[in-house]
Amino acid sequence: MQSQLQPSSSPAVDKASWKVWWHLTRPHTLTAAFAPVLLGTALAIENSGGIHWGMFIAMLVASLLIQAATNMFNEYYDFKRGLDNENSVGIGGAIVRHGIKPKTVLNLAFSLYGISVLLGVYICMSTSWWVAAVGVVSLAAGYLYTGGPLPIAYTPFGELVAGFFMGVLIILISFYIQTGTVTPTSVLVSFPSFLLVGAILLANNIRDLDGDKDFGRKTLAILLGRKGAIRLLAGMFIVSYIWVIGLIITGVVSPWLAIVALSIPKAVKATKGFIGKSNPIQMMPAMAATAKTNTIFGLLLSVGIFISLI
């Protein structure tokens, strides 16, 4: 559920603009697909000393397409269920504000899924067809997040599912297609991504808490209450940094990965941005800061790995 904001420009103008289609992908969320692929690939280079560029590009594009398609399913089904209207905050707005037909949005989402499947076939032909099974489950999770009779996004499990599929699983698949295996280190390093991708969904649900409650959703933010959800968000940030410190102290990863500390100010900004606020518009900067924390954290981990190889 998205909350209130004044409508913008006219459908006649917006419908013809490429920006409408770009916003439909919700580009601020796409980093949740990019950073894990890069991190998984960086870990693979550290493990094997090389990279298959074709695999990297295919995995990256497929992940971005699946994320964009998931966002489109979100927009379509929230509109169909009456959760989004022309005054809603945080959505692409292609349907409710810019006059794009709902069926067009749905068909585009399935088209992106189709392209990602073709890329998946290429990856499987070069690695293992077991990857296809994982891919099918991932596609189903993306659709069922807001589609189906009981959307995952309307339950307390949205953060858990998003964190696993868009965090842990993307890292491990990216690692596997480069190395042919999954190591304990790759699993351990993926855990902060699990938390931070989940944090993006939690931030979204904190912003939309009041509206979601009115529509009968049972998100984790609603169950915990606003203050409890903000505390959980802060805890997810804190554990992510402590986890990396623990991996460094135990010798699992290089001390260079401590460079992730440079992203701490963004995490602090994200947390403080929610405190004492209930207006969705006022919380938008905090939401953006949460997504940026995930991106910067993942990029810095990758940078730390690359530096340690020099």
Side-chain angles (χ1 to χ4, degrees), residues 43-56:
L43 287 167
I45 295 174
E46 182 183 44
N47 183 81
S48 61
I51 180 177
H52 189 298
W53 284 100
M55 290 291 183
F56 169 70

Side-chain angles (χ1 to χ4, degrees), residues 210-269:
D210 293 331
D212 284 349
K213 187 183 295 184
D214 291 341
F215 276 90
R217 281 187 173 187
K218 300 295 182 182
T219 65
L220 188 58
I222 291 174
L223 294 182
L224 295 176
R226 192 178 302 279
K227 289 184 178 180
I230 294 172
R231 291 193 189 100
L232 176 60
L233 181 68
M236 293 167 81
F237 287 137
I238 292 170
V239 171
S240 296
Y241 292 104
I242 291 177
W243 188 268
V244 174
I245 293 172
L247 293 180
I248 293 172
I249 292 174
T250 55
V252 175
V253 298
S254 165
W256 279 109
L257 271 67
I259 196 174
V260 297
L262 294 175
S263 63
I264 290 177
K266 190 65 69 174
V268 172
K269 179 181 178 181

Side-chain angles (χ1 to χ4, degrees), residues 85-130:
N85 56 61
E86 64 180 6
N87 298 319
S88 297
V89 164
I91 62 171
I95 297 175
V96 297
R97 286 199 293 267
H98 305 295
I100 303 299
K101 294 181 179 179
K103 194 68 174 180
T104 300
V105 173
L106 185 63
N107 289 339
L108 180 57
F110 279 121
S111 297
L112 296 184
Y113 259 23
I115 298 172
S116 68
V117 167
L118 294 177
L119 292 169
V121 170
Y122 163 71
I123 292 173
C124 290
M125 289 175 64
S126 303
T127 56
S128 168
W129 286 100
W130 282 107

Side-chain angles (χ1 to χ4, degrees), residues 18-298:
W18 65 269
K19 291 183 180 179
V20 173
W21 301 99
W22 174 239
H23 290 159
L24 178 60
T25 68
R26 303 185 190 181
H28 65 282
T29 69
L30 298 182
T31 57
F34 169 76
V37 173
L38 181 62
L39 180 55
T41 305
L43 287 167
I45 295 174
E46 182 183 44
N47 183 81
S48 61
I51 180 177
H52 189 298
W53 284 100
M55 290 291 183
F56 169 70
I57 294 172
M59 183 66 192
L60 177 61
V61 174
S63 298
L64 290 171
L65 292 179
I66 291 172
Q67 177 64 48
T70 300
N71 292 335
M72 293 175 191
F73 287 133
N74 189 324
E75 182 144 340
Y76 174 82
Y77 283 106
D78 279 357
F79 169 76
K80 282 295 185 180
R81 293 185 172 96
L83 274 71
D84 288 340
N85 56 61
E86 64 180 6
N87 298 319
S88 297
V89 164
I91 62 171
I95 297 175
V96 297
R97 286 199 293 267
H98 305 295
I100 303 299
K101 294 181 179 179
K103 194 68 174 180
T104 300
V105 173
L106 185 63
N107 289 339
L108 180 57
F110 279 121
S111 297
L112 296 184
Y113 259 23
I115 298 172
S116 68
V117 167
L118 294 177
L119 292 169
V121 170
Y122 163 71
I123 292 173
C124 290
M125 289 175 64
S126 303
T127 56
S128 168
W129 286 100
W130 282 107
V131 176
V134 177
V136 169
V137 174
S138 298
L139 291 174
Y143 174 78
L144 294 174
Y145 187 75
T146 48
L150 182 60
I152 299 169
Y154 298 4
T155 73
F157 305 109
E159 290 81 1
L160 181 66
V161 171
F164 176 74
F165 282 97
M166 297 304 296
V168 174
L169 203 57
I170 290 183
I171 292 174
L172 297 185
I173 294 175
S174 299
F175 182 85
Y176 176 82
I177 64 177
Q178 298 287 346
T179 65
T181 187
V182 172
T183 63
T185 297
S186 63
V187 175
L188 290 171
V189 174
S190 71
F191 183 70
S193 183
F194 165 76
L195 292 177
L196 294 177
V197 172
I200 296 175
L201 274 297
L202 180 60
N204 179 80
N205 289 333
I206 293 172
R207 181 199 64 187
D208 296 335
L209 189 150
D210 293 331
D212 284 349
K213 187 183 295 184
D214 291 341
F215 276 90
R217 281 187 173 187
K218 300 295 182 182
T219 65
L220 188 58
I222 291 174
L223 294 182
L224 295 176
R226 192 178 302 279
K227 289 184 178 180
I230 294 172
R231 291 193 189 100
L232 176 60
L233 181 68
M236 293 167 81
F237 287 137
I238 292 170
V239 171
S240 296
Y241 292 104
I242 291 177
W243 188 268
V244 174
I245 293 172
L247 293 180
I248 293 172
I249 292 174
T250 55
V252 175
V253 298
S254 165
W256 279 109
L257 271 67
I259 196 174
V260 297
L262 294 175
S263 63
I264 290 177
K266 190 65 69 174
V268 172
K269 179 181 178 181
T271 304
K272 287 185 175 180
F274 285 110
I275 297 175
K277 297 181 178 66
S278 59
N279 187 313
I281 298 176
Q282 293 178 333
M283 290 183 277
M284 288 298 290
M287 265 202 64
T290 303
K292 289 177 182 177
T293 300
N294 170 67
T295 302
I296 298 171
F297 189 102

